[in-house]
Structures are given as C-alpha cells and as structure tokens.
Amino acid sequence: MHKFIILFSIFILGTSASIFAEAEPIEILQKNASITYEKMTQAKQNAEASAKDLAFAEKKLASAKNKLAEAEREVETARRKSEQAKISREQAVNQWKQASDALANEWGKSEVK
C-alpha cells in the first residue's frame, strides 16, 4: 500500500506539473492577446483622432481658399476702380488744360484790343 501511495503521489504531481506547464503558455497567450488588443484599441483611437484632424485641416483649407478667392475678387475690383480713376483723372486734366488754354486765349485776345 505504501508503494501505491508513492506511485499515486508521483502520478498526481506529474499530472499537476503537466497541467501547470500547459497553463503557463495559455496565460502568456492570454496576456499577449490582451496587450495586442490594447494596442489595437489605441491604434484605432489614434486613427480616429487623425481622421478628425484631417477633416478639420481640410475645412480650414477650404475656408482659406474661399477667403483667398474673395480677396482676389476684391483686388480685381480695386484694380478696375483704380484704372477707371486714372482714366477719369487723365480726362479731367485734359479738360482742365483745354479750359485753361481757352481762358488764356481769351485773356490774350482781350489784352490785344
């Protein structure tokens, strides 16, 4: 009976060691899976945040392009007004010169008489 107890104890210890040896790789795999899941979750959050950042940046770019287009229209309008003002100034100078010449001629005629 003593031999039986010793053999049974060896059997139980061997079985326990075998189960423990198998449990260790499972625990490592579970731990690795958990770590990998956390990394995946973090990567997903980073991707979502980056997508939001991209959408915001694209919105800012579109706004900047609209402002640039508006500024370009304002410049073109100001350019046309400036050109028209130059033309009007030249016409006014020419009219003034003609009026001054006409006045000078009339003064010259009145002095001769």
Side-chain angles (χ1 to χ4, degrees), residues 49-96:
S50 293
K52 287 179 183 178
D53 290 345
L54 174 61
F56 181 72
E58 287 175 337
K59 193 174 186 179
K60 282 178 62 177
L61 177 61
S63 176
K65 284 181 178 180
N66 287 338
K67 287 179 182 179
L68 176 61
E70 183 179 335
E72 288 174 338
R73 286 189 297 271
E74 289 175 5
V75 165
E76 190 55 38
T77 298
R79 184 175 287 123
R80 282 194 305 269
K81 286 181 179 180
S82 177
E83 289 298 320
Q84 186 58 44
K86 285 179 186 179
I87 292 169
S88 295
R89 182 191 67 195
E90 289 172 4
Q91 289 173 346
V93 167
N94 288 337
Q95 289 173 352
W96 172 77

